[in-house]
Amino acid sequence: MNDFILSASGLTKTYKQRSGRFGFGSNLIKALDDVSIALKPGATLAVVGESGSGKSTLARCLLQLQPLDAGQVLFEGHDLAALSGQELRAARRHLQMVFQDPFASLNPRMKVGDIVGEGLVIHGLGDAEERRAKVLRMLERVGLSALDMGKYPHEFSGGQRQRIGIARALVLEPRVVVCDEPVSALDVSIQAQILLLLKQLQREMGLSYLFISHDLRVVRHIADEVAVMQRGRVVEQGSVEGLYAHPREEYTQNLLNSIPGRHWQAA
Ligand code: ADP
Ligand code: MG
């Protein structure tokens, strides 16, 4: 159990959705149905599945950004739901998230230096000068510069904005980073650069990643293990190479077959 930095068992989450002509009826959507996953320190666990399979719900529930109906999340052996408000806030520093849409997730009215430094202020880390130095170092590590601190998000390309999103998460020196489709909104040519950057920072900073994607191509280059989600359940789990070579589930085979050019690579 303690071999894992983050583990979750029996996660269940149901949404109630209004339905019917006047919204009087309601549908229940089981977004998570008894999901268990475990993340090894320094490793990358990918979660793949088609749109609507529950991946983002899993991300939010793992980080306690959304309440669960049932299940338990352990971070370094501690039950997150059992922590006091103050303890949870302290744990949050070590559990960061990188989002899919780097434009929607960056406040357009804040300068990049303030966006990246906000978490340091919230967690009371360092004085103003130390924070500025940390922000600058982090921006340089993601390929940006001191000049960029005074700019606004709209002045950057999609790939650069995602670098800002990564800097904002990593400046806190977290232990676990949940990346929810971090390259899905980017051009294919930019995707590889961002994946390389994430990999390099993982190695340098000893990070553990939960990497969410609907695209098995992306996952192959970054993950050690893969969990395949379908309709709120984990239907298959294993090493990347094993899953590529011998997908057990038809659903996983279909995900693999939807990769362009994949049939030429087989055998
Ligand atoms: P994914 O990230 O894999 O696309 P989500 O976790 O976003 O999947 O969604 C899983 C299911 O839960 C979908 O059917 C989605 O429509 C539904 N869902 C997600 N968020 C909400 C919400 N806030 N209210 C109602 N239904 C939701
Ligand atoms: Mg999603």
Side-chain angles (χ1 to χ4, degrees), residues 49-69:
E50 62 193 4
S51 174
S53 54
K55 305 180 300 294
S56 293
T57 302
L58 174 63
R60 291 192 297 267
C61 287
L62 281 173
L63 301 189
Q64 311 281 297
L65 299 172
Q66 205 177 14
L68 283 157
D69 299 336

Side-chain angles (χ1 to χ4, degrees), residues 34-266:
D34 196 17
V35 169
S36 300
I37 53 149
L39 179 54
K40 292 185 190 122
T44 297
L45 172 65
V47 175
V48 298
E50 62 193 4
S51 174
S53 54
K55 305 180 300 294
S56 293
T57 302
L58 174 63
R60 291 192 297 267
C61 287
L62 281 173
L63 301 189
Q64 311 281 297
L65 299 172
Q66 205 177 14
L68 283 157
D69 299 336
Q72 191 182 47
V73 182
L74 298 179
F75 170 56
E76 296 184 333
H78 300 286
D79 181 352
L80 285 181
L83 299 182
S84 69
Q86 196 182 358
E87 289 168 329
L88 182 60
R89 275 191 295 279
R92 280 244 160 82
R93 172 189 172 186
H94 297 293
L95 298 165
Q96 288 295 309
M97 190 144 165
V98 174
F99 298 92
Q100 168 171 357
D101 184 341
F103 203 46
S105 63
L106 302 177
N107 185 337
R109 280 179 281 279
M110 278 172 74
K111 288 180 180 169
V112 167
D114 295 326
I115 290 173
V116 174
E118 194 178 24
L120 296 171
V121 175
I122 289 170
H123 290 278
L125 300 169
D127 59 28
E129 202 172 317
E130 288 162 344
R131 287 198 298 268
R132 201 189 133 76
K134 268 195 178 191
V135 167
L136 177 55
R137 263 203 313 277
M138 194 66 233
L139 284 174
E140 285 171 345
R141 286 182 90 160
V142 300
L144 297 168
S145 72
L147 276 175
D148 295 321
M149 287 177 80
K151 294 185 188 164
Y152 291 91
H154 75 264
E155 298 178 66
F156 296 88
S157 67
Q160 285 173 319
R161 272 180 240 151
Q162 196 53 295
R163 289 173 193 268
I164 297 166
I166 292 167
R168 174 178 60 179
L170 298 197
V171 76
L172 292 164
E173 298 169 54
R175 296 183 192 147
V176 173
V177 185
V178 175
C179 305
D180 189 358
E181 309 244 16
V183 301
S184 302
L186 304 177
D187 290 347
V188 174
S189 59
I190 308 294
Q191 288 187 359
Q193 298 172 14
I194 297 294
L195 290 173
L196 264 175
L197 175 68
L198 283 169
K199 251 181 142 163
Q200 181 188 341
L201 291 168
Q202 175 175 48
R203 211 169 37 237
E204 291 171 3
M205 299 175 75
L207 306 167
S208 310
Y209 286 156
L210 188 92
F211 188 97
I212 293 173
S213 179
H214 66 276
D215 188 342
L216 270 168
R217 250 179 319 185
V218 164
V219 158
R220 186 169 202 180
H221 298 291
I222 192 148
D224 303 297
E225 283 187 51
V226 186
V228 180
M229 279 189 80
Q230 180 185 27
R231 276 186 255 116
R233 299 186 67 93
V234 173
V235 293
E236 182 162 4
Q237 191 160 2
S239 72
V240 178
E241 291 312 322
L243 197 119
Y244 260 81
H246 312 287
R248 279 190 297 116
E249 295 285 329
E250 195 185 329
Y251 175 73
T252 309
Q253 288 164 18
N254 289 339
L255 285 177
L256 285 169
N257 288 336
S258 67
I259 298 176
R262 156 85 188 175
H263 45 290
W264 301 112
Q265 293 168 17

